[in-house]
Amino acid sequence: MIVAEVVRSGFVESVHHGAVFGKHSRGDVTSPVFPRSSNKPLQTVGMLRAGLVPREPADLALISGSHFGEPMHIRRVREILAAAGLDESALRCVKGLPLSEEARTGWLRSGGGPERILMNCSGKHAGMLATCVANDWPLDSYRDPKHPLQVAIAETVTDLVGEPIAAVGLDGCGAPVFGFSLTALARSFQRLVDAAPGTPERLVADQMRAHPELVAGTGGDDTVLMGTVPGLLVKAGAEGVVAAALPGVGAIAIKIDDGAARARTPVLLDALREFGAEPPAISAEITGGDEVVGEVRPVR
């Protein structure tokens, strides 16, 4: 069903189909999807259950995030690896450049090129490696779905989402990604924010909310939302996915069918307002020349 439309000069020129699980769900919320990076908080819980001892609690935010490649992110990834007796040569994520335009421009101007540590998933991969070191598991094959690490993470994800994993694929970073329904994704995020203090689930939720700049980066939608909406946990993923939860209130999971990121946040803001939250205005402007001539807006 149509969940967002693109309006230019008063004319609807494009629409985005998708599904929304929330206070008023719409579309198909029971068929499996790949949540992409919205999986990351669940994977971090799996690492904790498997024996990961973070160097410091805030590292859990970076391990659960899709960082922007800013200096604070790269420094912390190196520190996570160093605490496990490793360096960035152990990373098996693909090479990338910072998502932050400022950081990317500075890196390229300095003569740098794509590096594994710059890739937005390097925090997750550093956490996976640290978990392997804690268990004396093989390092080179840590991305293999049959590796003890990935088996343990899959067991945790299955528990948190409350339904069987429908599909296992390779995410853009090369690590496994698990498929399940939007209903299950929302359920898992609700479990994280409503968990008892001190549990792995609550530790992940608390650190993400306390350090949203490590989950995304300066000015990122996740950063802004968790920094302004009290208690909100949110994690976006590629291909138009985002999940969010408010403790004791409800959870949201969204999939934009065509994978368009531009429709994801307007739909999320609308779903949050349905729960009575007051999220900040995040621009979804459409420009014509130097003027703002329209917007991407949600459709109920």
Side-chain angles (χ1 to χ4, degrees), residues 3 17-20 33-34 182 238-242 253-257 259:
V3 296
H17 294 78
V20 181
V33 301
F34 278 140
L182 291 178
E239 295 300 315
V241 177
V242 65
I254 295 165
K255 166 65 177 174
I256 306 301
D257 286 347

Side-chain angles (χ1 to χ4, degrees), residues 77-92 117 126 129 139:
V77 174
R78 290 193 172 116
E79 290 170 350
I80 293 170
L81 291 168
L86 304 171
D87 60 31
E88 58 195 87
S89 66
L91 293 169
R92 294 292 181 268
I117 200 167
L129 284 163
L139 300 181

Side-chain angles (χ1 to χ4, degrees), residues 166-188:
V168 179
L170 284 184
D171 212 334
C173 64
V177 61
F178 306 111
F180 40 84
S181 70
L182 291 178
T183 300
L185 179 60
R187 181 189 299 125
S188 68

Side-chain angles (χ1 to χ4, degrees), residues 95-267:
K95 294 180 179 181
L97 290 169
L99 295 181
S100 161
E101 183 176 353
E102 180 179 351
R104 182 171 62 253
T105 298
W107 181 261
L108 292 172
R109 282 178 176 171
S110 70
E115 299 286 350
R116 297 188 193 280
I117 200 167
L118 300 177
M119 200 266 172
N120 73 87
C121 298
S122 66
K124 177 181 75 175
H125 283 251
M128 288 180 171
L129 284 163
T131 306
C132 289
V133 169
N135 288 280
D136 197 26
W137 287 335
L139 300 181
D140 287 347
S141 58
Y142 74 89
R143 301 181 311 169
D144 189 324
K146 296 181 181 179
H147 189 284
L149 168 72
Q150 301 301 341
V151 172
I153 289 175
E155 290 174 353
T156 292
V157 170
T158 300
D159 173 53
L160 292 175
V161 303
E163 70 181 37
I165 291 173
V168 179
L170 284 184
D171 212 334
C173 64
V177 61
F178 306 111
F180 40 84
S181 70
L182 291 178
T183 300
L185 179 60
R187 181 189 299 125
S188 68
F189 269 59
Q190 194 71 60
R191 289 190 63 179
L192 265 59
V193 298
D194 287 343
T199 59
E201 295 91 330
R202 184 66 174 271
L203 283 171
V204 170
D206 284 351
Q207 292 306 312
M208 290 176 67
R209 292 179 292 186
H211 304 281
E213 74 284 353
L214 298 179
V215 177
T218 304
D221 290 355
D222 290 355
T223 306
V224 172
L225 287 169
M226 285 190 284
T228 55
V229 180
L232 178 66
L233 177 69
V234 59
K235 181 68 190 76
E239 295 300 315
V241 177
V242 65
L246 286 162
V249 177
I252 297 162
I254 295 165
K255 166 65 177 174
I256 306 301
D257 286 347
D258 63 3
R262 68 178 180 179
R264 181 177 60 200
T265 297
V267 176

